[in-house]
Amino acid sequence: MKQQSIIEAEGLTKVYEDGHCALDHASFGVQPGEVFCLLGGNGAGKTTAINIFLGFLPQTEGTARINGVDVRTDPLEAKKHVAYLSDVVMLYPNFTARQNLDFFARLGGKQNLSREQYYSVLQQVGLQEKAYEQKLKGFSKGMRQKVGLAIAIIKEAPAIILDEPTSGLDPKAANEFQSMILHLRSKGRAILMSTHDIFRAKEVADTVGIMNEGKMLAIKSRKELEHEDLEKLYLNYIHGKVAA
Amino acid sequence: MEKLLRNDGVPMIKILLEKELRDIISSTKFAITFGAAAILVILSFYVGIRNYEESMREFEAARAVNANNVAALTDWRQVQHKLFRKPQPLQVLVSGVTNDIGRTTEVRPQGELTLINSRYNVDPLFAVFRFLDLTFVVIIVFSLFAILFGYDAINGEKESGTLKLILSNSVSRADVVLSKLLGSFLALVVPLLVPILVGCLMLIGFGIPMSGTEWTQLGLVIVAGLLCFGAFLMLSIMISASVTRSSASFLLSLVIWIFSVLIIPKGAVLVAAQAVDVPSLDGVEAQKRKFTLQQFDQRFQKMGEFLRADITRDETWSQRFAAFQDSLNKSFETEREEYFRKLNEDWRNKKDRQEQWAFSMARVSPTAVFQIAAMSLANTDVSLKRRYLEDLDRYQEGYAEFLRKKTGSSGGMHIVMRFSGQQGAQEEERKPLNPTELPEFTERGRTLGETLSASLADLGLLAVLNILFFVGAFIRFLRFDVR
């Protein structure tokens, strides 16, 4: 029996004032314990969909729900159930890793956490112990991304949205990051991740939504992709060789 | 209210405010700028205190020389009485026009009194580089300080991705922008109060005689300075919430700063000079000289007529001659005073109109508003000279009366004739004058009420600018594209 989706889009559409359609009736759902990858190139509509879920952009049509809460009608309530990580995670360079974590944990509703609890999450994401109390100004992008992921984890939200999280990471850091995503999936989190990295999508996704020019061209499960070459499939879709 | 609180009752704004305060105070930018501002504030107090002490020494020395000169004479008619403008404690911090106007007046019982020997006239080097006072620090340093912290307050967080991260939580935009505005203000203003407080302690330590009224005035100058700082901070945050890139908002803030600090005040003066034509002081003085010379000729003509008509040199002749001179003086003086008054009044009216134009236009700039307010509060504004000359005019009346009592004459141009064998003349010469008999000059100054009413509009304007930019930043952020 299919579970209810934690992250849910129904006919989600965004048309800008200049008439440009950034998202065209996209529908999909992410269930607990599922990693859903939005796969597409620049301008495919992946980030537009994410921005709508986070209330940064109002949709023109359709509905976006997180944990059953409509993000348009009750954005603050909806955001209680989602953690977010973007590709640009500079965080606060004058704060230490723990101080950054503390600030965002408190924003996410976690008050009075002990130093050990913060350290435990930082250890979970693989940050070196000596970096816990170091200011972020000297951190590499990979290290900052780990702190960002720790921020997403500590909120303990049922939904996690990741916008191009491995972009700019070296292979080792990207691999470590991937392991963390899989770990979160095993904890029952519904993960929506945008990426243009076909290899990463195939490795981590339970479901892949292929997007191009705002349209959701296809939604393929891991099982469906087992016998297919995702790269070839993706290129066929975006070149219109396969009917959407 | 419900939206402002988290589930567990902790106000979201408190968490954001704490972050804001900690983020600013822990930054290298803060350490450097605060350090520089603190040094300059303390230095401005120190330089001001030293200048005041130096001015007081010069004032006391000049007074002593004047008293000695008087004591060396035996006839009040020979006295060349000089008054010296007493330095005021608040000029330590807000020098205003105090160094531009003269400090010495040669007091005559009749005629127009003028101020000569300004500080800049005596020390031209200071005229070139000006003094480092608190107004300079507020106008140049505090306003730049505000811009440096405000220009990327919003779009900088967007560029670093933290704004999206914050707003991906159950946080309202109102909370975010309120914490930004209040947090930035508190994080920067409270530390700036520390060197100001140190400066105030220095005033006490160096024994600068400040009355309760002057402390109140100083407090209001500081409030005006902080309001000026606040206006720039709110303005730059508003710009940061209106422009996508922080490099663009920095450039825009800098351009506004240049206009506000350098171009608008000077431009306002130039435009006002074009709009209202005021005759030059040299021109007015030339007219006065011409009139005086004409009177001089007439006077000698009339004296010649008297001497030719009254040829009896009896015992009462000198009294008749003195009485004639007195009546002549009185009539010429009245005529001259009336002419000078008209000239001065005409010049003053035009000058007032020009100043009004210049100040009204300059008030577009928060720094100009602060400068006008601070000078009014410290009583070193452009009306200082006029107020002092009014005090001198009042003193002149008393001085003329004093001389009349001492010499029997109202002063003015006199030819003193002595006849040998006059009894008591030698006795009179031997008796030196007592300088303490001279009437005491007191500067009336402004009452606290008068000072407040002169500066209230500008203080209010600074507060309004703060509110306007605060509301502007708030509204701009509610519409800000965080993507």
Side-chain angles (χ1 to χ4, degrees):
Chain A
M1 188 182 153
K2 203 169 183 182
Q3 289 176 285
Q4 196 199 329
S5 297
I6 298 289
I7 302 169
E8 200 178 355
E10 265 181 32
L12 215 52
T13 304
K14 178 65 194 177
V15 181
Y16 287 104
E17 283 172 5
D18 62 2
H20 170 65
C21 182
L23 197 60
D24 192 358
H25 295 91
S27 298
F28 58 89
V30 189
Q31 291 174 6
E34 181 185 4
V35 177
F36 189 108
C37 270
L38 294 173
L39 179 67
N42 292 334
K46 310 181 300 284
T47 304
T48 303
I50 287 173
N51 283 334
I52 291 171
F53 272 107
L54 295 170
F56 300 154
L57 195 63
Q59 68 266 41
T60 316
E61 270 182 57
T63 312
R65 279 188 288 266
I66 293 173
N67 214 16
V69 182
D70 190 325
V71 299
R72 186 78 182 266
T73 53
D74 197 351
L76 294 186
E77 181 57 33
K79 284 192 255 189
K80 284 180 184 168
H81 308 287
V82 65
Y84 167 70
L85 180 65
S86 80
D87 59 332
V88 185
V89 193
M90 298 300 287
L91 298 174
Y92 293 105
N94 296 315
F95 287 6
T96 64
R98 182 188 53 79
Q99 284 170 337
N100 268 290
L101 192 55
D102 172 61
F103 168 62
F104 285 105
R106 290 170 71 203
L107 274 190
K110 301 286 173 188
Q111 298 289 327
N112 304 320
L113 292 180
S114 67
R115 198 173 278 252
E116 284 68 35
Q117 283 171 298
Y118 290 128
Y119 289 171
S120 159
V121 180
L122 290 170
Q123 188 187 30
Q124 221 182 101
V125 295
L127 192 74
Q128 287 176 306
E129 198 179 334
K130 65 176 182 186
Y132 296 172
E133 294 295 344
Q134 277 177 2
K135 288 190 174 180
L136 253 70
K137 57 177 95 169
F139 278 26
S140 66
K141 180 168 183 193
M143 288 166 83
R144 286 201 307 272
Q145 201 74 348
K146 282 175 182 171
V147 180
L149 190 61
I151 288 167
I153 290 170
I154 209 161
K155 192 173 177 181
E156 294 183 318
I160 297 177
I161 294 177
L162 309 168
D163 190 5
E164 306 276 4
T166 53
S167 138
L169 291 184
D170 63 54
K172 182 175 173 284
N175 196 266
E176 283 173 2
F177 196 84
Q178 184 182 311
S179 307
M180 279 311 306
I181 293 169
L182 295 174
H183 174 71
L184 288 169
R185 180 181 66 181
S186 71
K187 296 268 182 182
R189 310 288 173 85
I191 300 168
L192 175 66
M193 178 175 131
S194 75
T195 184
H196 55 257
D197 184 344
I198 293 170
F199 169 74
R200 198 67 57 199
K202 192 167 182 180
E203 285 286 305
V204 80
D206 296 300
T207 313
V208 176
I210 299 172
M211 295 187 79
N212 189 42
E213 292 178 347
K215 288 189 175 69
M216 184 67 82
L217 300 177
I219 295 177
K220 297 279 179 186
S221 68
R222 176 180 283 271
K223 204 170 180 182
E224 287 172 308
L225 290 172
E226 265 174 13
H227 308 292
E228 298 222 38
D229 179 350
L230 182 57
E231 188 176 1
K232 199 172 170 188
L233 188 70
Y234 171 73
L235 290 171
N236 284 340
Y237 268 112
I238 64 164
H239 291 127
K241 290 177 186 167
V242 178
Chain B
M1 188 65 197
E2 199 183 313
K3 282 185 175 178
L4 292 173
L5 297 174
R6 281 208 42 75
N7 295 340
D8 46 11
V10 178
M12 200 55 98
I13 196 160
K14 184 174 174 278
I15 301 168
L16 291 162
L17 250 177
E18 280 175 15
K19 184 275 295 179
E20 205 58 45
L21 294 172
R22 189 189 284 181
D23 189 31
I24 290 175
I25 291 168
S26 62
S27 68
T28 316
K29 184 165 77 174
F30 176 81
I32 294 169
T33 45
F34 172 70
I39 290 168
L40 280 171
V41 168
I42 293 171
L43 203 63
S44 72
F45 271 87
Y46 181 75
V47 170
I49 288 168
R50 284 292 180 213
N51 277 332
Y52 175 76
E53 287 176 338
E54 175 70 19
S55 302
M56 274 308 282
R57 268 195 297 275
E58 284 177 10
F59 168 75
E60 295 294 354
R63 259 168 47 124
V65 168
N66 187 54
N68 288 340
N69 288 344
V70 172
L73 299 170
T74 54
D75 188 338
W76 285 105
R77 279 170 293 215
Q78 297 169 314
V79 170
Q80 286 187 314
H81 179 33
K82 281 182 181 171
L83 279 180
F84 306 95
R85 196 160 51 83
K86 191 178 179 185
Q88 299 301 314
L90 277 181
Q91 76 181 53
V92 165
L93 302 165
V94 187
S95 54
V97 299
T98 194
N99 295 313
D100 298 83
I101 62 175
R103 295 173 295 174
T104 313
T105 307
E106 194 172 318
V107 186
R108 296 179 307 274
Q110 285 155 351
E112 201 177 28
L113 299 180
T114 52
L115 276 159
I116 53 167
N117 291 338
S118 74
R119 185 79 196 265
Y120 288 152
N121 192 263
V122 175
D123 297 315
L125 196 63
F126 287 116
V128 177
F129 296 113
R130 300 268 147 171
F131 287 99
L132 174 76
D133 65 0
L134 192 64
T135 45
F136 173 84
V137 176
V138 170
I139 289 169
I140 306 290
V141 184
F142 280 23
S143 56
L144 257 182
F145 195 13
I147 281 175
L148 279 176
F149 281 89
Y151 83 93
D152 64 345
I154 304 290
N155 53 20
E157 289 237 22
K158 178 186 172 173
E159 286 167 347
S160 66
T162 44
L163 193 57
K164 273 173 111 174
L165 209 49
I166 289 172
L167 289 171
S168 69
N169 287 288
S170 185
V171 182
S172 72
R173 284 190 178 218
D175 280 351
V176 175
V177 70
L178 275 178
S179 67
K180 266 282 167 218
L181 293 163
L182 297 176
S184 308
F185 189 75
L186 287 175
L188 301 172
V189 158
V190 174
L192 282 179
L193 284 173
V194 176
I196 291 173
L197 193 68
V198 171
C200 291
L201 291 174
M202 282 165 68
L203 288 176
I204 298 168
F206 279 90
I208 304 299
M210 299 266 286
S211 66
T213 305
E214 281 162 340
W215 279 113
T216 311
Q217 288 168 268
L218 174 60
L220 287 170
V221 170
I222 293 166
V223 169
L226 296 181
L227 282 173
C228 176
F229 172 80
F232 272 98
L233 186 66
M234 301 298 153
L235 173 67
S236 51
I237 294 177
M238 187 177 90
I239 292 169
S240 180
S242 310
V243 178
T244 313
R245 282 166 42 229
S246 61
S247 54
S249 59
F250 178 69
L251 208 64
L252 189 57
S253 300
L254 201 63
V255 168
I256 290 175
W257 182 84
I258 291 169
F259 266 85
S260 180
V261 174
L262 303 170
I263 297 175
I264 292 173
K266 292 182 192 337
V269 173
L270 287 175
V271 173
Q274 291 297 314
V276 184
D277 189 33
V278 181
S280 72
L281 269 180
D282 285 343
V284 174
E285 287 304 315
Q287 278 180 278
K288 287 178 182 174
R289 271 199 304 276
K290 192 177 165 192
F291 187 82
T292 310
L293 284 173
Q294 280 171 356
Q295 277 198 329
F296 210 70
D297 290 343
Q298 287 170 12
R299 185 193 296 261
F300 274 99
Q301 212 176 326
K302 294 217 171 195
M303 269 191 191
E305 284 167 12
F306 176 86
L307 291 171
R308 279 192 298 277
D310 191 350
I311 51 165
T312 322
R313 297 290 184 267
D314 56 16
E315 283 179 1
T316 60
W317 185 87
S318 64
Q319 285 165 0
R320 288 203 308 280
F321 186 51
F324 170 75
Q325 286 190 92
D326 268 350
S327 87
L328 201 61
N329 275 342
K330 204 172 273 178
S331 101
F332 276 114
E333 197 57 46
T334 310
E335 198 183 348
R336 196 172 57 205
E337 270 178 6
E338 181 61 17
Y339 181 73
F340 281 18
R341 192 187 58 76
K342 273 186 188 164
L343 272 182
N344 287 344
E345 200 173 280
D346 179 54
W347 183 84
R348 191 66 253 169
N349 287 341
K350 284 177 178 165
K351 194 75 190 159
D352 279 350
R353 224 169 47 246
Q354 194 184 62
E355 281 172 8
Q356 264 176 357
W357 268 74
F359 286 146
S360 302
M361 284 186 284
R363 281 187 172 101
V364 175
S365 146
T367 47
V369 180
F370 162 72
Q371 190 160 17
I372 297 166
M375 291 196 307
S376 294
L377 284 166
N379 290 330
T380 54
D381 55 319
V382 286
S383 66
L384 171 65
K385 187 176 175 183
R386 198 187 327 161
R387 290 200 309 274
Y388 189 78
L389 286 175
E390 282 168 7
D391 288 339
L392 281 177
D393 284 345
R394 267 191 297 278
Y395 179 78
Q396 191 181 33
E397 287 169 20
Y399 182 66
E401 185 58 34
F402 168 78
L403 282 186
R404 211 171 356 256
K405 278 183 189 161
K406 288 286 177 192
T407 64
S409 153
S410 60
M413 180 182 274
H414 272 263
I415 294 171
V416 179
M417 294 184 124
R418 294 193 187 284
F419 298 97
S420 59
Q422 272 189 311
Q423 292 221 336
Q426 282 182 342
E427 200 179 311
E428 189 194 338
E429 278 169 20
R430 280 195 298 271
K431 198 175 172 188
L433 300 178
N434 179 5
T436 59
E437 284 185 62
L438 280 166
E440 191 69 30
F441 174 75
T442 46
E443 246 182 281
R444 197 177 65 86
R446 276 177 179 158
T447 62
L448 184 61
E450 286 169 338
T451 304
L452 280 178
S453 70
S455 55
L456 212 58
D458 290 310
L459 284 172
L461 188 55
L462 280 174
V464 167
L465 285 175
N466 271 268
I467 294 166
L468 266 179
F469 295 144
F470 184 96
V471 173
F474 192 89
I475 292 169
R476 291 304 305 174
F477 183 70
L478 294 184
R479 295 171 185 168
F480 187 69
D481 185 358
V482 297
R483 290 174 295 142

